[in-house]
């Protein structure tokens, strides 16, 4: 077993000059400024008054879950001799917000659209998804159910 450290640098950018002197007097914006990586401007969920044009923590969690699943799918497909030529996902997470303002994810459905090389078997490719939750770092770390609804296109032979 190996232990790993992961870091990020979060810098609040929402001080309008008075800090948090009043609840409505500051913005819920920040940057992810991890050294050596591009800056990611962020805001809180638009349901809470955040900027809908910026990434929220909820956006980043579902994106991380989807990306981890994709990377494991590509790895396991390669091991199985399945040639993946394209992969896109539009995951859907369901959440709830309580009157107190507390919220949580209830579930997530990954919905990858996968293009396979000619002669590939979509049924064999589909069987890979069930194995991913056992190895994906992010999926193993969340406490809500994650399902998948994949679709496949097998590129015709030239």
């Amino acid at each position: 077993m190996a232990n790993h450290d992961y870091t990020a640098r979060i810098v609040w950018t929402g001080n309008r000059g008075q800090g948090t002197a009043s609840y409505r007097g500051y913005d819920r914006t920040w940057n992810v400024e991890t050294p050596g990586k591009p800056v990611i401007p962020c805001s809180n969920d638009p349901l809470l008054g955040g900027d809908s044009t910026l990434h929220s923590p909820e956006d980043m969690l579902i994106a991380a879950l989807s990306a981890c699943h994709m990377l494991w799918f590509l790895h396991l497909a390669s091991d199985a001799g399945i040639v993946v030529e394209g992969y896109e996902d539009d995951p859907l997470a369901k959440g709830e917000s309580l009157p107190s303002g507390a919220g949580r994810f209830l579930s997530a459905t990954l919905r990858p659209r996968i293009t396979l090389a000619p002669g590939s078997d979509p049924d064999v490719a589909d069987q890979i998804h069930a194995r991913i939750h056992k190895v994906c770092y992010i999926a193993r770390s969340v406490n809500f159910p994650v399902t998948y609804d994949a679709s496949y296109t097998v590129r015709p032979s030239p």
Side-chain angles (χ1 to χ4, degrees):
M1 180 183 317
N3 291 320
H4 309 280
D5 292 334
Y6 297 94
T7 65
R9 179 169 161 74
I10 306 300
V11 179
W12 177 47
T13 60
N15 185 350
R16 295 184 201 153
Q18 299 295 315
T20 59
S22 72
Y23 182 74
R24 298 195 189 284
Y26 63 94
D27 292 329
R28 279 70 173 170
T29 57
W30 70 93
N31 288 336
V32 177
E33 297 181 0
T34 306
K37 298 180 182 181
V39 172
I40 304 170
C42 300
S43 182
N44 70 327
D45 189 309
L47 294 173
L48 302 170
D51 184 338
S52 65
T53 67
L54 300 176
H55 293 288
S56 71
E58 296 81 7
D59 294 336
M60 293 195 296
L61 178 60
I62 190 65
L65 182 62
S66 175
C68 188
H69 186 93
M70 176 194 68
L71 292 168
W72 271 105
F73 181 85
L74 297 173
H75 173 96
L76 296 173
S78 178
D79 285 352
I82 297 169
V83 178
V84 176
E85 295 182 343
Y87 189 111
E88 296 179 13
D89 190 9
D90 293 301
L92 175 64
K94 299 283 187 177
E96 71 175 1
S97 297
L98 301 177
S100 67
R104 68 180 180 144
F105 281 104
L106 298 173
S107 65
T109 303
L110 306 178
R111 304 179 300 177
R113 292 174 314 284
I114 300 165
T115 303
L116 303 173
S120 297
D121 185 343
D123 292 330
V124 173
D126 202 56
Q127 293 170 13
I128 292 171
H129 292 285
R131 298 174 24 212
I132 295 172
H133 193 79
K134 295 176 179 130
V135 292
C136 170
Y137 210 94
I138 307 299
R140 289 175 39 85
S141 300
V142 299
N143 68 350
F144 52 87
V146 178
T147 58
Y148 71 93
D149 182 16
S151 62
Y152 303 90
T153 301
V154 178
R155 187 174 56 78
S157 298

